[in-house]
Amino acid sequence: AQLDHLYVHESVENVIPPEAFVEAFEGLGIDAELVGDGESYDETDAVATYVPRPEFLDAGWVHCIRAGYDEFDTDTYEAAGVPLTNSTGIHDTTVSEVAIGYMVSLARLLHVYRDNQNERNWYTPDYERPFTVENERICVVGLGTIGRGIAERADGLGMEVVGVRRSDEPVPGVSEIFDPSDLHDAIADARFVALALPHTPETEGLIGEPEFEVMRDDAYLINVARGPLVVEDALAAAIEAGAIAGAGLDVFETEPLPDSSPLWDFEEVIISPHKGSATNRYHLDIADLVSENVERYQSDEPLKNRVA
Ligand code: NDP
Ligand code: 7N6
């Protein structure tokens, strides 16, 4: 179909430099420009955006630059006949490196040494406290782009990797795959439970008090997916009570994480400000995907990552 413009909504600035992103479409043979709210669109326009806006429903195609498109109402897009695509498939390296970083730090106490460095303190932890991730068991819940990225790297580090997903095809590096109905069996023996699944009505609150009860008391929760997958009050209570050991968290129920959250204060919690995907070439990763879809759109091929 005909595509005359690629409009980049200014909300992309939440994650990438808008001008550099627009520049990445030079040479694609289509007019790419930055827009704000209140524009009007028609079917020869594509929009790349971070947030949903009602006026985008007049465009020919809308691309959500995030992998998690939970803020977009897919029913409305389907009713309007406007294809919606997302940015899944590009976060295997970026987000999983952060998950691995949390685990290695939590095991070897890098975060504790850094805290002590801030006080110029030559710190010696209890002898029993540090451990290697090698030979420890990780349960990766959600084995898509990010989950596989975590599983492959964990396997490379010599960890024992199991996972949870709805479909049961084998995944490289994963020795056993559990059905979501067997979540408790899957997480019970794991030293690390890593969440890498989408936020949907089905997955909201997936990890709460019953799961913290089932988890080992020396286990760590890693969440690089979405905050609402975890009941945050229950997480803080579980760490406080010693039901689990700690967490590495990139995402939260409310972002930015409110100043009043007890999670800020735990030594055994590492917090990153939703930066799992942040690298200096993130805009190029997204632009490659959008460019491929521009070409597909123009040659009437099915769009990649179509979610509505
Ligand atoms: P994918 O769509 O590639 O993978 C999602 C996986 O989750 C699939 O393998 C799916 O497998 C599995 N899944 C879905 N529902 C369930 C369920 N109920 N129980 C168990 N597994 C389930 O997505 P990505 O890996 O790219 O991203 C995952 C999420 O991570 C995104 O939705 C987004 O919210 C978040 N994200 C966070 C980022 C950050 O900056 N921290 C960056 C990018 C993404 P199956 O169908 O077999 O169940
Ligand atoms: C925004 C990162 C996604 O879903 O959460 C990520 O792609 C985007 C800070």
Side-chain angles (χ1 to χ4, degrees):
Q2 189 183 335
L3 200 60
D4 294 336
H5 305 278
L6 171 61
Y7 290 113
V8 173
H9 187 255
E10 60 190 3
S11 59
V12 302
E13 74 186 4
N14 281 306
V15 271
I16 50 177
E19 289 79 15
F21 185 56
V22 170
E23 257 171 50
F25 299 106
E26 265 173 26
L28 194 62
I30 181 176
D31 169 63
E33 59 183 283
L34 202 57
V35 292
D37 284 338
E39 295 286 325
S40 45
Y41 301 95
D42 67 35
E43 67 273 12
T44 64
D45 300 329
V47 183
T49 181
Y50 181 86
V51 293
R53 290 285 182 263
E55 63 261 30
F56 297 162
L57 290 164
D58 298 325
W61 151 49
V62 177
H63 180 80
C64 165
I65 68 154
R66 314 181 75 176
Y69 55 97
D70 30 315
E71 290 171 18
F72 285 74
D73 181 358
T74 49
D75 291 345
T76 320
Y77 277 83
E78 267 155 31
V82 178
L84 175 70
T85 52
N86 78 342
S87 285
T88 198
I90 61 171
H91 301 98
D92 48 340
T93 301
T94 54
V95 177
S96 45
E97 280 186 355
V98 169
I100 298 290
Y102 287 146
M103 290 194 285
V104 173
S105 183
L106 289 164
R108 302 303 300 277
L109 308 181
L110 305 183
H111 59 302
V112 177
Y113 300 139
R114 181 72 204 204
D115 288 347
N116 279 279
Q117 181 180 340
N118 289 333
E119 313 294 323
R120 297 180 179 268
N121 188 18
W122 187 262
Y123 174 79
T124 303
D126 288 346
Y127 183 78
E128 295 299 329
R129 203 172 155 196
F131 60 98
T132 61
V133 296
E134 185 178 30
N135 297 322
E136 292 291 345
R137 184 177 176 104
I138 176 175
C139 176
V140 184
V141 187
L143 288 164
T145 307
I146 296 172
R148 285 165 182 254
I150 296 172
E152 202 175 282
R153 284 165 180 76
D155 181 49
L157 289 168
M159 299 178 77
E160 188 198 333
V161 187
V162 302
V164 179
R165 70 178 302 180
R166 293 168 303 182
S167 42
D168 60 1
E169 314 122 54
V171 175
V174 181
S175 63
E176 194 177 354
I177 295 183
F178 293 79
D179 187 78
S181 60
D182 297 323
L183 178 71
H184 286 192
D185 292 338
I187 64 178
D189 299 327
R191 190 73 191 265
F192 295 97
V193 173
L195 305 182
L197 70 176
H199 173 209
T200 63
E202 195 187 334
T203 62
E204 186 161 316
L206 186 76
I207 305 292
E209 197 193 341
E211 288 67 38
F212 296 124
E213 279 306 311
V214 164
M215 282 168 70
R216 287 165 53 166
D217 58 11
D218 61 357
Y220 294 87
L221 179 72
I222 305 297
N223 189 5
V224 290
R226 281 290 182 269
L229 300 175
V230 177
V231 182
E232 224 164 76
D233 286 347
L235 170 62
I239 298 170
E240 185 69 49
I244 67 166
L249 306 171
D250 190 49
V251 290
F252 302 89
E253 280 174 354
T254 303
E255 296 178 5
L257 182 64
D259 190 51
S260 57
S261 171
L263 293 172
W264 289 111
D265 296 322
F266 293 110
E267 186 178 58
E268 286 298 84
V269 173
I270 304 179
I271 288 172
S272 49
H274 203 144
K275 289 288 174 276
S277 62
T279 71
N280 55 11
R281 47 164 295 124
Y282 191 32
H283 64 297
L284 299 176
D285 295 344
I286 302 172
D288 283 348
L289 178 61
V290 174
S291 300
E292 182 179 341
N293 268 343
V294 165
E295 283 163 7
R296 283 170 177 251
Y297 191 90
Q298 287 170 326
S299 52
D300 295 321
E301 285 172 50
L303 295 177
K304 212 168 161 179
N305 288 356
R306 185 160 174 180
V307 294

